[in-house]
Structures are given as structure tokens and as C-alpha cells.
């Protein structure tokens, strides 16, 4: 008995969010949609960074879209976790809207370069 063969569509096999994490440098690059379905990937990456010795973290969202309030909450939770654990987090490549939201989470506009937010 032969099973039906369905062609593989690479577009549907890719995750909505790709997270590239370098634990040595504390650099996390997010590519894709950060939303309700993918926010756990950011939370997992932050958990991994907490296990490292790196005190300065960078989350690069240049190629990411924070698509809903769950994605924004995940970013806010990353800041809170970094602060509670005496780590500094820089958000790189943020849109103006995301920059404003991140600054409202307790940030300061001093020492922030265009496209970067470092609220703690």
C-alpha cells in the first residue's frame, strides 16, 4: 500500500521567528515575527543568556517585527529579567514605535544611538 506523497513547501516549513544566539558575546538576533506564537523563543534565549557570564546583552530586532502585544510583553520581560539579574540589555534596530515603547519601560534617551534602546 502506497502512502500519498505531499510536496514539501519550504515556506511553510520555516519558523515564524528565527533566533540566533551567541552566548559568548550576549548577542541575540531575531528574524521574523515576534508574537504570541513565538514570544517563548525570546524568553528561552533570555533564560540561556542568564546562564552565561555575559553582563551586556544585545537583542537585534532589525529583521524582526513585533507583531502584537505578546511580542512587546516578551521584550518588556527581557528587560525586567536583565535588570533583576544585574545585566544590561541593548535593543538594536528597533522601529521608532518599539523604541518609544521600550523607553516607556523605564529607559533613558541618554547614550542611545539611532535604532538602539538601552533602558537599564
Amino acid at each position: 500500500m502506497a502512502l500519498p506523497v505531499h510536496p514539501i513547501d519550504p515556506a511553510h516549513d520555516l519558523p515564524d521567528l528565527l533566533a540566533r544566539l551567541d552566548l559568548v558575546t550576549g548577542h541575540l538576533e531575531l528574524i521574523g515575527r515576534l508574537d504570541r506564537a513565538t514570544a517563548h523563543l525570546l524568553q528561552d534565549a533570555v533564560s540561556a543568556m542568564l546562564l552565561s557570564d555575559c553582563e551586556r546583552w544585545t537583542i537585534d530586532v532589525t529583521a524582526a517585527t513585533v507583531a502584537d502585544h505578546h511580542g512587546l510583553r516578551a521584550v518588556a520581560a527581557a528587560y525586567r529579567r536583565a535588570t533583576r539579574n544585574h545585566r544590561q540589555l541593548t535593543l538594536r534596530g528597533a522601529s521608532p514605535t518599539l523604541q518609544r515603547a521600550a523607553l516607556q519601560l523605564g529607559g533613558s534617551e541618554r547614550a542611545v544611538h539611532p535604532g538602539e534602546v538601552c533602558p537599564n
Side-chain angles (χ1 to χ4, degrees):
M1 178 168 138
L3 296 175
V5 176
H6 299 285
I8 296 174
D9 182 358
H12 293 295
D13 291 340
L14 296 176
D16 290 334
L17 182 73
L18 175 65
R20 293 183 184 157
L21 177 59
D22 183 336
L23 291 173
V24 174
T25 63
H27 184 83
L28 172 64
E29 179 183 17
L30 299 177
I31 301 169
R33 289 176 52 91
L34 180 61
D35 58 17
R36 179 183 188 136
T38 60
H40 67 93
L41 295 173
L42 175 54
Q43 295 165 356
D44 293 345
V46 169
S47 294
M49 287 193 291
L50 284 170
L51 297 174
S52 76
D53 293 332
C54 193
E55 294 180 5
R56 294 178 187 249
W57 302 347
T58 302
I59 299 177
D60 187 340
V61 295
T62 304
T65 302
V66 178
D68 62 15
H69 69 277
H70 296 282
L72 184 55
R73 283 182 182 174
V75 173
Y79 280 117
R80 286 191 302 272
R81 291 178 73 189
T83 301
R84 278 195 311 255
N85 290 280
H86 312 289
R87 311 289 171 82
Q88 184 180 25
L89 189 150
T90 300
L91 187 62
R92 179 168 292 142
S95 69
T97 302
L98 185 55
Q99 287 179 28
R100 282 191 299 276
L103 289 171
Q104 288 176 351
L105 296 172
S108 168
E109 293 188 36
R110 62 181 169 72
V112 175
H113 304 287
E116 294 185 0
V117 177
C118 183
N120 51 350

